[in-house]
Amino acid sequence: MTSYKFTLLFILFSFCLTAQEINHITHGPILGHVTQNSVRVWGRTASPGTFEVKYKKKEGSDSFKNIPVKTLLADDNTGWVTLTNLSPDTKYTYHLSINGKQSKEGSFRTLPAAADYANEKYNPEGLFNFKFEFGSCASQNPANGIGPSLPTYTTMLDEVKNDINFAVMNGDWLYEEKRDYPASEWRKTQNIQEKEQPDLVTNAPTVVGVWENYKSYLDKADNLAEWHRNVPSYFTFDDHELINDIWGAGTAGRRDRRTVFRDIATAAWYDYLGWADPVIFKQDIHFGKAKFKKNSDILVDSKANFTELDYSEMDNLHVHWGTPTAGVDDIVLDSLHFGNPNSKVYDIVEVINKNKIRIDPPAVANGTGNYSIARKSYSKFTVGNSDFFLLDTKTNRQWHDTQNRDKPGLSLLGKDQLAWLKEEMKNSKADFLFLFSSVPFMIPHVGASGYAMASNKDESWTVFLDEREKLIDFWETLDQPVFVLTGDLHNSFAVKITDQIWEFCSGPHNSVNHRLSDEGGRPKSGLYQFDKREMDIRWSSFVLDDIPRPERLYPHYCVVQLNNVFNNPQKLGDKRWVAYEHPQVIFQFFDGRTGELRYSETVSTKRTKSLKK
């Protein structure tokens, strides 16, 4: 008997050891938020475990430093860490390692430090020059774009990888695929039973389809993976990270399959991309299962503790659709009404106790349903003399009406994000203000829908004119130029709104181009007035309506250069950085296939008075 027990224990021990030994890196590394002395690094393992980030300076004989990173089943075995105490403006090489098995090697350069550029007389603030790339819309589905070859990323690897400090992917990095992947199949890959799965999968089982979607995109495109392991990036989410044409997530009472998929897809976005952004709000999305009573405004969740949540960092509540295809982008599903009868958008009126909250509107049926309370997903970072705002255009976007574009009080950002943005911009000491909006600001996006509500199609701020115009009026009171950097429309353009307010749209990185008719029939360039405000389209890429869809494959990307200082040494070959009185921002648009320069626009700070000699 003793021998039998010993043998059984040995077998179990050997199985566990073998499972640990066969664990390996499946995806990554990916680089995120970078500063003068830190950078974020992400990876994914086949099963829960711990991998190491091994890094060292590119030049010199320093040995590798090791930082452990734990991956969790609840995050689909993903994990990330911030490498700290790095040297400024220094190239590092790194890789991930687990059980002696290494990922592909990557590299990164930290940002410059002001102290290394400061000159008491000529550059007291220690300004420096820097560059970043931004773009949007990289479908890998050949029906929606070029396919997984992603030539723009090959071009950027050749042309700009070593020339920029960071990149911003401004929405639609992901397009919906594998969204019907069932939780049962995911459990098989993890060798677990249903009772062992994380609470997230129990309360939001369709999240596994979004996880699978991300993995497939990283699997299919080697150049995309190479880009992300060598270029620190920031991300916004647009509709395809969630689900195509997701509208009205901020409007209480809104009932729509797409709308209530918001939090499920956002949770997966944080696991795979959102971790890369600066964290302002730490409260995570809350998921649960609740009981409802017809005509009652009380939601009951016996497993929740609503008193522990920080609602100042959260938004409204959604009851999920609850079907296996809830996150699938199929127009046929929009006409089916098999979802939970209580599935819709709710406002949280009050917290009654740890298990009960009051919601509005009341439930319409008895029963149970999975629900979620959103987190705030906007953030900000600063580089040198520039502030960057990563906006969330989906979480609080209210239901719009193309027949009433100027409806008073209608909001795309939501009141909390709007107040935060205005306060941060008002108090900013930066010379330049960059706002990343995943949707266009001045040009309408009215076509190419494929959604049952196509008659109400407009993705842009052009159906939120009341909010947009008030923002423009506010920006006109600021001293700094304001640049609204946008995506979603599958063309690039430069729009002068006022002397100090501009919109620059960059894309698509890989998706099929939209036609001029999809963009409100705008001109290719010149003065244009779609609504109440005239604009100057300085330049655009465009596709005429007579070009067949399979031929509309013209990708673009944009490199933004900040010219703050000029090297002006007393001796040739030395360094003495002298600051410009009026620094400049240069926007350069390039052909995604060839790297050919298509257009450049330069904007500098305001001239407020004559400069003395």
Side-chain angles (χ1 to χ4, degrees):
M1 188 69 176
T2 303
S3 175
Y4 170 78
K5 289 182 177 180
F6 177 80
T7 302
L8 181 60
L9 288 171
F10 178 79
I11 292 173
L12 290 173
F13 174 77
S14 298
F15 175 80
C16 293
L17 182 62
T18 302
Q20 174 62 23
E21 285 179 344
I22 64 174
N23 201 5
H24 60 280
I25 304 295
T26 64
H27 301 87
I30 295 177
L31 296 168
H33 183 40
V34 63
T35 71
Q36 68 180 42
N37 52 27
S38 69
V39 72
R40 292 184 184 173
V41 181
W42 174 96
R44 183 185 183 275
T45 55
S47 56
T50 300
F51 67 82
E52 289 185 320
V53 180
K54 298 193 172 187
Y55 65 100
K56 68 175 184 177
K57 292 181 181 179
K58 184 85 170 177
E59 303 295 333
S61 57
D62 292 350
S63 59
F64 279 102
K65 294 182 179 179
N66 304 329
I67 300 292
V69 184
K70 189 175 183 180
T71 64
L72 301 175
L73 191 61
D75 301 323
D76 197 28
N77 304 330
T78 65
W80 61 275
V81 70
T82 301
L83 307 185
T84 58
N85 299 317
L86 305 178
S87 299
D89 201 12
T90 300
K91 191 76 171 283
Y92 286 82
T93 183
Y94 77 106
H95 61 267
L96 310 184
S97 177
I98 185 170
N99 300 322
K101 303 167 189 174
Q102 295 184 189
S103 70
K104 290 185 177 180
E105 187 177 84
S107 64
F108 62 88
R109 180 179 291 278
T110 51
L111 296 182
D116 295 333
Y117 285 76
N119 179 295
E120 185 177 353
K121 183 176 181 181
Y122 296 109
N123 187 22
E125 296 180 11
L127 298 181
F128 51 84
N129 301 329
F130 64 95
K131 297 181 181 180
F132 65 93
E133 182 274 336
F134 85 101
S136 60
C137 306
S139 175
Q140 293 186 34
N141 186 338
N144 295 324
I146 297 170
S149 63
L150 292 165
T152 296
Y153 283 88
T154 299
T155 301
M156 293 195 298
L157 285 167
D158 291 340
E159 300 291 334
V160 305
K161 179 187 77 172
N162 296 315
D163 193 42
I164 60 174
N165 297 91
F166 60 91
V168 180
M169 182 58 183
N170 198 19
D172 292 340
W173 184 96
L174 192 74
Y175 279 64
E176 303 87 342
E177 296 180 35
K178 300 182 180 295
R179 295 295 183 93
D180 55 355
Y181 184 75
S184 58
E185 290 300 310
W186 178 82
R187 289 194 297 269
K188 289 179 183 178
T189 67
Q190 299 304 310
N191 195 31
I192 61 172
Q193 301 298 313
E194 186 172 358
K195 63 182 179 180
E196 300 172 287
Q197 69 187 12
D199 289 343
L200 173 59
V201 178
T202 299
N203 292 319
T206 47
V207 72
V208 303
V210 192
W211 283 340
E212 200 68 16
N213 197 168
Y214 278 105
K215 286 177 284 196
S216 69
Y217 262 46
L218 289 170
D219 287 338
K220 290 187 292 186
D222 289 341
N223 50 2
L224 177 68
E226 182 180 353
W227 173 261
H228 284 308
R229 68 174 175 264
N230 289 282
V231 180
S233 296
Y234 301 86
F235 301 89
T236 65
F237 56 78
D238 198 44
D239 57 340
H240 291 291
E241 278 88 2
L242 308 185
I243 184 170
N244 185 33
D245 288 348
I246 179 172
W247 306 334
T251 299
R254 170 77 180 148
R255 175 173 167 81
D256 181 78
R257 175 182 68 91
R258 295 172 185 258
T259 299
V260 295
F261 198 70
R262 176 194 66 186
D263 297 336
I264 299 171
T266 302
W269 178 80
Y270 272 102
D271 291 331
Y272 277 85
L273 298 179
W275 59 268
D277 295 346
V279 177
I280 294 179
F281 307 107
K282 298 180 180 180
Q283 173 66 60
D284 203 354
I285 304 169
H286 172 77
F287 289 91
K289 185 172 184 177
K291 292 182 179 180
F292 300 89
K293 186 176 180 180
K294 185 176 180 178
N295 298 325
S296 172
D297 61 356
I298 306 298
L299 179 153
V300 181
D301 182 354
S302 61
K303 294 184 178 180
N305 189 341
F306 293 119
T307 63
E308 292 183 343
L309 299 179
D310 185 353
Y311 296 94
S312 69
E313 297 192 356
M314 306 185 81
D315 283 300
N316 59 6
L317 182 147
H318 286 186
V319 174
H320 304 162
W321 200 246
T323 63
T325 55
V328 175
D329 181 22
D330 186 342
I331 193 172
V332 173
L333 298 172
D334 297 318
S335 60
L336 303 177
H337 301 286
F338 298 151
N340 188 308
N342 289 313
S343 177
K344 64 179 66 172
V345 179
Y346 295 86
D347 286 334
I348 299 174
V349 178
E350 69 170 317
V351 176
I352 299 173
N353 57 41
K354 70 176 186 177
N355 299 133
K356 295 180 180 180
I357 55 174
R358 192 179 307 279
I359 57 174
D360 182 56
V364 298
N366 295 326
T368 62
N370 295 320
Y371 71 95
S372 55
I373 304 175
R375 65 179 292 174
K376 288 181 165 62
S377 294
Y378 44 91
S379 59
K380 170 197 170 187
F381 63 98
T382 300
V383 178
N385 61 336
S386 300
D387 280 344
F388 296 85
F389 300 88
L390 301 170
L391 302 181
D392 174 1
T393 67
K394 298 302 176 186
T395 298
N396 291 288
R397 179 184 174 123
Q398 294 181 319
W399 180 251
H400 66 264
D401 181 0
T402 55
Q403 302 304 307
N404 188 10
R405 295 176 176 273
D406 202 12
K407 184 178 179 180
L410 197 66
S411 180
L412 184 146
L413 296 179
K415 61 181 180 63
D416 288 352
Q417 183 176 193
L418 179 62
W420 168 84
L421 178 64
K422 293 175 71 174
E423 186 69 14
E424 290 288 337
M425 295 182 76
K426 182 179 69 174
N427 294 326
S428 174
K429 304 300 181 185
D431 290 325
F432 299 106
L433 302 173
F434 294 89
L435 285 75
F436 287 93
S437 164
S438 69
V439 296
F441 196 66
M442 298 297 297
I443 304 294
H445 181 182
V446 295
S449 177
Y451 180 31
M453 295 298 295
S455 61
N456 197 44
K457 170 80 173 186
D458 193 344
E459 292 292 286
S460 302
W461 288 76
T462 49
V463 281
F464 297 91
L465 294 184
D466 181 58
E467 184 172 60
R468 189 195 73 178
E469 291 302 303
K470 288 176 180 176
L471 264 177
I472 292 174
D473 290 343
F474 167 70
W475 293 339
E476 283 285 86
T477 69
L478 303 177
D479 292 330
Q480 306 98 319
V482 175
F483 305 115
V484 189
L485 308 187
T486 63
D488 190 50
L489 273 177
H490 299 176
N491 279 301
S492 295
F493 48 80
V495 173
K496 183 178 181 181
I497 303 171
T498 72
D499 286 344
Q500 291 296 312
I501 304 174
W502 296 73
E503 177 182 2
F504 294 94
C505 184
S506 175
H509 270 176
N510 203 62
S511 304
V512 64
N513 296 81
H514 288 141
R515 305 159 298 177
L516 285 174
S517 60
D518 297 327
E519 302 174 15
R522 66 169 176 86
K524 298 172 285 298
S525 64
L527 298 179
Y528 173 52
Q529 186 166 348
F530 175 74
D531 45 63
K532 60 170 58 177
R533 182 177 292 272
E534 186 177 66
M535 69 194 84
D536 182 0
I537 302 176
R538 308 277 283 192
W539 168 85
S540 74
S541 68
F542 59 89
V543 170
L544 298 179
D545 280 30
D546 63 355
I547 300 178
R549 181 182 175 88
E551 304 299 325
R552 288 157 33 198
L553 302 173
Y554 297 95
H556 285 79
Y557 64 92
C558 183
V559 174
V560 185
Q561 178 173 330
L562 276 291
N563 271 355
N564 292 312
V565 294
F566 187 79
N567 189 26
N568 205 234
Q570 291 179 307
K571 182 180 179 180
L572 191 65
D574 286 351
K575 299 289 185 184
R576 182 176 63 169
W577 296 102
V578 180
Y580 285 107
E581 290 85 0
H582 295 285
Q584 314 101 38
V585 183
I586 306 172
F587 294 85
Q588 301 169 87
F589 290 89
F590 296 91
D591 184 294
R593 294 182 184 272
T594 67
E596 179 182 353
L597 178 66
R598 291 299 189 192
Y599 182 75
S600 179
E601 183 82 52
T602 302
V603 183
S604 62
T605 56
K606 286 182 179 180
R607 269 65 168 170
T608 56
K609 61 181 179 180
S610 298
L611 298 174
K612 294 181 180 180
K613 292 183 179 179

